[in-house]
Amino acid sequence: MSQPKAVVQASIIHQIIKEAHQNSVKPPLIRQKLHADTVQVYKLIEFFDEQLEKNGLAHSHVETFDSPDTLGEVLSDYLCIVNLKHSNFTKPTNAIFPNILAWELLASVPSVPSVPSVPSVPSEPDEDESILRQESSEQTRYRRITSHLTKALHHHVYAEPMTTGDHLPMIFYTLDGVEYLDIALLSLTDAITINEETGEIIDTNHIDASNLKIACRINITKFQEHKYKNSDSTYQAENYIQWIQKGTSSKIPEYIQDFLPIRIRLDDTVATTKLMKSLINYLKQSSFSEKAKKEVQSEILTILSHKAKHKNSVNIVDEIDPIIATKSKVSNLTIEVKDSFKVFRENNGYAASDENNSNVFAPAVDPLKNYETFSFHLGEEEVIRVSGSRSLLGEEIKLKENDNGEAVIEITVSSENLPAIRKIFK
């Protein structure tokens, strides 16, 4: 059975124009005509599907609906039916239909409309009247929303000096009765896939995934539910935003989080610890030799420490997963997709409902110290070797010096390990 096809409501490609560390602000290029070639739009949705499947490890939902210059504010104001800033969503007293929810407007609103109205979207100052006559009212609304979203993202791109602009495809579509919005920032010029004059997609067959900077998929249906029920103290919103970002600048994860704005902001300290614990647990159950496991952990730890020192971000998919893949080839191991580190992560703390699960974050220095190792030996002929995690120093392993220039190394043994230690000393 073939997969159901998306029904596209509107698609367009605007552009944010900015170079890294650009001093002057250039306005975004707002194109006036929706894209008509649905075949290429379908291919673009499929391209996003592939990238989100590969890299889309970050999930969240909107933190607030009224923060200026954000996706949450734009969609809340112009996409949700009825302006809910002045209303509540409550259960009616009609016992015949107990599951039907009804609008209850606050006292500040003079009357309840018989049919919930769709909010109007402010027009662009130079809109082409001939295009307006060709569009349906729904298409006009979607197009104007994309203009406001572009200006909101433009604000955040220019707020961070090292970020760069690019083409900005936006697609509203419905799949299996659920409405979605795909947004991406990617380079299409090098692939010659876009008509720069009109923004029309010429060909999507040659889009290079390396040109993708950010991508977001918003489940509009769940977004609207969150908006409608947000005033209910018992309501807990599901994660309906899936997002990725490419590159490793420490500011990249921040500006996309600010634009959305997401509820779960990444805690780099927690994310660093989470990645290392996930890695260690994965290696424990893997088929790697003990030597290979130590080498993988050491190489990854070195990369993370370097990133932390220089305050750069790490991309798990692009920089960590390949290390494990390379080591498996060197070790003559075949790792099936179901046994990969990516699938292991998604099944153990990196699923849609989990926090601090982004594929890109800035490693923190302090938690990495807990995974660095130490090793020393005492004596020349009869050598005592001691090695372990650096986090043990000063805790389970202590150095006690006296006034005579001598010292004692004290190792604390847990009750679980004590029986085995006793056997050695008997």
Side-chain angles (χ1 to χ4, degrees):
M1 183 180 293
S2 61
Q3 293 293 322
K5 206 168 190 179
V7 178
V8 177
Q9 275 84 41
S11 63
I12 197 167
I13 299 180
H14 300 303
Q15 188 175 8
I16 295 176
I17 305 169
K18 179 180 180 290
E19 300 294 334
H21 304 288
Q22 180 175 310
N23 293 323
S24 60
V25 176
K26 290 187 177 180
L29 174 58
I30 304 295
R31 295 190 169 94
Q32 295 196 26
K33 191 174 182 179
L34 291 173
H35 188 51
D37 188 346
T38 54
V39 173
Q40 297 299 336
V41 174
Y42 290 143
K43 291 181 180 180
L44 193 55
I45 293 174
E46 291 173 357
F47 170 75
F48 294 147
D49 283 340
E50 294 173 1
Q51 298 309 308
L52 288 165
E53 174 64 25
K54 177 183 177 182
N55 302 297
L57 298 178
H59 308 265
S60 190
H61 64 255
V62 166
E63 178 183 25
T64 175
F65 296 100
D66 53 14
S67 181
D69 299 310
T70 63
L71 175 142
E73 181 195 45
V74 172
L75 295 186
S76 173
D77 284 352
Y78 304 134
L79 187 61
C80 292
I81 296 175
V82 178
N83 191 339
L84 296 187
K85 290 180 179 179
H86 305 292
S87 61
N88 289 331
F89 205 56
T90 62
K91 289 186 178 181
T93 57
N94 192 331
I96 299 177
F97 303 105
N99 296 320
I100 302 298
L101 299 181
W103 293 109
E104 178 188 18
L105 271 64
L106 300 181
S108 59
V109 182
S111 63
V112 180
S114 57
V115 178
S117 61
V118 176
S120 61
V121 187
S123 63
E124 293 297 309
D126 56 349
E127 282 189 340
D128 190 327
E129 289 294 332
S130 63
I131 293 177
L132 283 173
R133 288 192 293 270
Q134 297 171 19
E135 293 177 332
S136 66
S137 58
E138 182 187 49
Q139 289 174 325
T140 299
R141 184 164 61 95
Y142 279 124
R143 178 177 54 76
R144 289 174 176 174
I145 288 173
T146 66
S147 299
H148 287 276
L149 289 173
T150 300
K151 293 172 184 177
L153 182 57
H154 176 272
H155 168 81
H156 293 286
V157 169
Y158 269 89
E160 174 46 53
M162 66 181 66
T163 59
T164 58
D166 227 313
H167 292 289
L168 188 64
M170 296 187 188
I171 308 171
F172 283 97
Y173 62 96
T174 301
L175 183 63
D176 286 336
V178 178
E179 187 174 359
Y180 295 93
L181 166 61
D182 283 359
I183 300 177
L185 193 63
L186 75 162
S187 175
L188 295 173
T189 306
D190 295 340
I192 318 177
T193 57
I194 186 173
N195 183 322
E196 294 290 346
E197 295 296 323
T198 65
E200 292 283 300
I201 302 173
I202 299 172
D203 181 23
T204 57
N205 292 327
H206 305 292
I207 295 179
D208 187 349
S210 65
N211 291 329
L212 179 67
K213 297 177 181 179
I214 65 169
C216 308
R217 173 162 291 166
I218 300 94
N219 183 320
I220 298 296
T221 302
K222 289 185 178 179
F223 171 91
Q224 290 178 321
E225 178 184 290
H226 181 196
K227 173 64 177 177
Y228 297 153
K229 298 182 179 180
N230 194 42
S231 59
D232 184 350
S233 60
T234 64
Y235 174 72
Q236 290 186 336
E238 297 180 43
N239 287 340
Y240 48 76
I241 296 176
Q242 187 178 8
W243 54 280
I244 61 176
Q245 66 284 317
K246 305 287 285 185
T248 54
S249 163
S250 62
K251 294 296 183 181
I252 287 178
E254 295 182 13
Y255 90 82
I256 185 60
Q257 290 180 90
D258 291 337
F259 164 67
L260 291 172
I262 66 169
R263 179 184 68 86
I264 304 171
R265 297 196 64 84
L266 297 181
D267 184 322
D268 291 329
T269 297
V270 175
T272 303
T273 301
K274 184 172 185 176
L275 172 60
M276 289 306 301
K277 285 183 176 180
S278 299
L279 174 67
I280 292 170
N281 290 334
Y282 172 74
L283 292 174
K284 282 182 180 178
Q285 55 88 58
S286 72
S287 300
F288 285 111
S289 67
E290 291 303 315
K291 179 182 178 183
K293 291 176 182 178
K294 291 180 180 179
E295 289 174 347
V296 169
Q297 183 174 335
S298 176
E299 185 173 348
I300 291 175
L301 188 62
T302 299
I303 289 177
L304 295 178
S305 298
H306 183 268
K307 298 278 187 181
K309 179 179 179 181
H310 295 279
K311 297 182 179 180
N312 291 326
S313 294
V314 63
N315 187 313
I316 300 176
V317 174
D318 291 344
E319 298 179 276
I320 303 302
D321 288 345
I323 293 175
I324 298 174
T326 300
K327 180 58 69 174
S328 68
K329 292 180 181 178
V330 173
S331 303
N332 293 319
L333 291 177
T334 300
I335 299 179
E336 302 291 340
V337 173
K338 64 182 179 62
D339 298 320
S340 67
F341 183 37
K342 178 178 181 294
V343 172
F344 179 86
R345 293 196 305 274
E346 292 174 342
N347 292 333
N348 295 273
Y350 284 79
S353 58
D354 298 314
E355 298 187 7
N356 294 294
N357 61 353
S358 176
N359 60 318
V360 177
F361 66 93
V365 173
D366 289 342
L368 289 175
K369 295 177 181 177
N370 296 329
Y371 300 96
E372 294 175 351
T373 58
F374 72 90
S375 179
F376 63 84
H377 66 271
L378 303 172
E380 295 181 0
E381 295 181 0
E382 297 181 0
V383 178
I384 300 173
R385 298 186 182 276
V386 181
S387 62
S389 172
R390 191 169 290 277
S391 62
L392 299 174
L393 297 177
E395 298 295 333
E396 284 82 358
I397 302 176
K398 298 179 180 179
L399 179 66
K400 296 186 175 182
E401 301 182 61
N402 58 32
D403 296 336
N404 298 326
E406 296 177 339
V408 173
I409 295 176
E410 181 182 280
I411 300 177
T412 301
V413 180
S414 66
S415 57
E416 296 177 356
N417 296 323
L418 185 55
I421 298 297
R422 281 177 177 156
K423 289 181 179 180
I424 294 176
F425 278 84
K426 285 184 177 178

